[in-house]
Amino acid sequence: MSGAQTAAIPHRTAAPSLPRDLLTLTKPKVQSLLLFTTVTTMYVAGDPSLGLVLLTCLGGALSAGGAGAINHAVDRDIDRNMARTADRPVASGRIPAGAAIAFGIALELASFTLLALAVNPLAASLSLSGFLGYVVVYTLWLKRTTPQNIVIGGAAGAVPPLVAWAAVTGGLSGTAFYLFAIVFFWTPPHFWALSLLMKDDYARAGVPMMPVVRGEDETRRQILLYTVLLYAVTQLPFCAGGFGIAYLIASMTLGAGFIYCSARLLRSADRRWALRTYLFSLSYLALLFLAMPIDAKLG
């Protein structure tokens, strides 16, 4: 890296708090939406007990938290060069990288054990695959090598619906894979909208995100393309008979809103539309997955 890339960004010094730093390592804000898709999918798959829902969510949270902790350690050099992440526990030096990795592995071992014993082995194995996908495929391999990192690596974040379905039914079905595909195709436009806002940080850190490598215009075109693809994918569960009219109305309405935001973003270089598209994408996925159990119960 050049000197400009490796120069650290000044960051605020937080008062030491080990519990808070350990929680930060697990990336709880990122987890919240993934856990929401887990809960809603479980109620689409069947009528799970509250205990099963809580155990599955705990197992998922431990696994995602473990992956997040290892990501903090591996990406500490990148985090130091980005204003948003420079004060993270490992990047700032408050927690040693080795300790973060050990903590992450311990969380994943706890997750696998809990899911395998209290839920079922398939759910445990699927959760482990998401952990390995995020740590090995995305963090260690793709993130630093290709602008398609978030496309391929996004599969790891799409695993929670599969875990949820397996937890309730003991197996997988076509509907479960449709839900996986929805999260998979949602990830690129969601993350690329954010990357437009953080282009300079990624360039400084030497991360080949789409806006850095292909430029902002191409990134906006890709966001619109994937949003249209996402709209098509969201219609598949209805066409296959997995959901009814309530889901159809929600998917069409939310999809039209997402496409509108992406189209406006394509026509405008205004960063406000990148932020609006990013924020809408969060609401989009939450509302779409909320519509699923509502539709299932109405049916």
Side-chain angles (χ1 to χ4, degrees), residues 40-41 43-46 165 173-179 182 233-248 251 288 291-299:
T40 53
T41 299
Y43 285 103
V44 172
W165 201 277
S173 71
T175 301
F177 286 106
Y178 287 139
L179 303 191
I182 288 172
V233 170
T234 59
Q235 304 313 303
L236 295 178
F238 172 80
C239 295
F243 292 120
I245 192 66
Y247 168 81
L248 178 64
S251 65
L288 183 67
M292 294 174 187
I294 292 175
D295 179 273
K297 300 313 174 186
L298 290 176

Side-chain angles (χ1 to χ4, degrees), residues 71-81 90-91 97 101 144:
N71 176 268
H72 273 266
V74 173
D75 283 352
R76 62 191 182 278
D77 58 327
I78 293 174
D79 290 344
R80 289 176 185 137
N81 286 281
V90 181
I101 291 173
R144 300 169 188 255

Side-chain angles (χ1 to χ4, degrees), residues 51-269:
L52 180 61
V53 173
L54 292 176
L55 287 170
T56 304
C57 286
L58 177 58
L62 290 170
S63 182
I70 295 175
N71 176 268
H72 273 266
V74 173
D75 283 352
R76 62 191 182 278
D77 58 327
I78 293 174
D79 290 344
R80 289 176 185 137
N81 286 281
M82 300 178 65
R84 180 177 65 93
T85 58
D87 195 51
R88 283 178 171 175
V90 181
S92 66
R94 295 194 301 274
I95 291 182
I101 291 173
F103 179 59
I105 293 173
L107 290 180
E108 176 52 36
L109 289 174
S111 168
F112 187 85
T113 302
L114 172 67
L115 291 174
L117 296 178
V119 181
N120 61 59
L122 178 58
S125 299
L126 288 168
S127 183
L128 176 61
S129 74
F131 171 87
L132 294 175
Y134 185 75
V135 171
V136 178
V137 178
Y138 174 69
T139 301
L140 292 175
W141 175 30
L142 295 173
K143 185 172 183 177
R144 300 169 188 255
T145 59
T146 172
Q148 295 297 318
N149 47 24
I150 200 63
V151 177
I152 305 169
V159 167
L162 298 181
V163 175
W165 201 277
V168 175
T169 68
L172 295 173
S173 71
T175 301
F177 286 106
Y178 287 139
L179 303 191
F180 169 90
I182 288 172
V183 181
F184 179 82
F185 281 96
W186 166 84
T187 302
H190 161 73
F191 201 89
W192 283 334
L194 177 64
S195 71
L196 285 171
L197 299 169
M198 299 171 54
K199 176 187 174 184
D200 293 342
D201 273 355
Y202 282 124
R204 184 184 301 109
V207 182
M209 296 303 297
M210 182 70 72
V212 177
V213 176
R214 303 283 177 81
E216 294 189 17
D217 289 345
E218 178 61 23
T219 301
R220 287 193 288 268
R221 282 191 289 270
Q222 290 291 321
I223 288 173
L224 179 58
L225 171 63
Y226 270 87
T227 304
V228 172
L229 288 173
L230 173 63
Y231 179 88
V233 170
T234 59
Q235 304 313 303
L236 295 178
F238 172 80
C239 295
F243 292 120
I245 192 66
Y247 168 81
L248 178 64
I249 293 172
S251 65
M252 292 179 69
T253 303
L254 291 167
F258 204 168
I259 291 173
Y260 171 78
C261 289
S262 299
R264 285 295 303 267
L265 178 60
L266 178 64
R267 295 197 303 268
S268 172

